[in-house]
Each structure stands twice: as C-alpha cells, then as structure tokens.
Amino acid sequence: MHAIARIMLAGAVDNIQVSWVKLGIPGSQVMLQGGCNDFGGTLMEETISRMAGANHGIKVEPEQFNAAIAEIGRTPAVSNDVVRLDRPVEPVDV
C-alpha cells in the first residue's frame, strides 16, 4: 500500500517514514519492504508513544538501525534535516 501511495503521490509526497517507536524494528522492516523509504531518526528515549501503550521507543543506536536496514537487503543512508521551502502560505483570517 505504501509503495502505491508513493507512486500515486510522486512529487507531492516523496518520502514515507516508518515509526520504529510505534512498530518496533521488525515491524519497521516490514514497512520498508512494503514501500516506506525512511526508517526515521534516532532518539534517546521516547515517552509519548510509550505512555500511550507502545512497547518500543527505548534508545536504539545508529548501528542497530543500519543492521536492521541491511538485514532486509536495503542500503542504509543518512539524510539531513534541511526542508526546502516551496512557496509561502498565505495567512488565513481567524
């Protein structure tokens, strides 16, 4: 389904990020195989999802992400946090 979404929304939505915090490493690997293309970022400890009942979100080292990605035949890569500004949004009267 994610692969189809990326094809249908090409140019509008180029990346679909997996939430390893919510799905765990095995669930995230399945999502990458299904069309998602971003494993998400590293964080030391996530509490919001865990407070809501998620079982994941404890510290994961970058090497563990790389191993999980390589394990399913993908090549790990690092992206930057630069967001490209396409156009300003007109203010809305409230």
Side-chain angles (χ1 to χ4, degrees), residues 7-91:
I7 292 168
M8 300 288 295
L9 299 171
V13 177
D14 294 322
N15 298 301
I16 300 179
Q17 187 179 82
V18 165
S19 176
W20 67 268
V21 171
K22 293 175 181 64
L23 300 174
I25 299 296
S28 296
Q29 288 173 309
V30 170
M31 298 302 285
L32 285 178
Q33 291 171 317
C36 293
N37 65 332
D38 186 343
F39 209 85
T42 58
L43 49 91
M44 299 309 285
E45 182 177 356
E46 196 281 339
T47 55
I48 296 171
S49 295
R50 289 187 28 238
M51 288 175 64
N55 295 321
H56 314 287
I58 304 298
K59 182 179 178 181
V60 175
E61 296 291 340
E63 295 79 21
Q64 292 171 281
F65 287 119
N66 294 343
I69 294 165
E71 187 177 292
I72 61 168
R74 299 289 178 92
T75 303
V78 176
S79 61
N80 62 30
D81 292 331
V82 175
V83 177
R84 182 174 53 92
L85 178 63
D86 289 325
R87 60 184 169 75
V89 176
E90 295 298 321

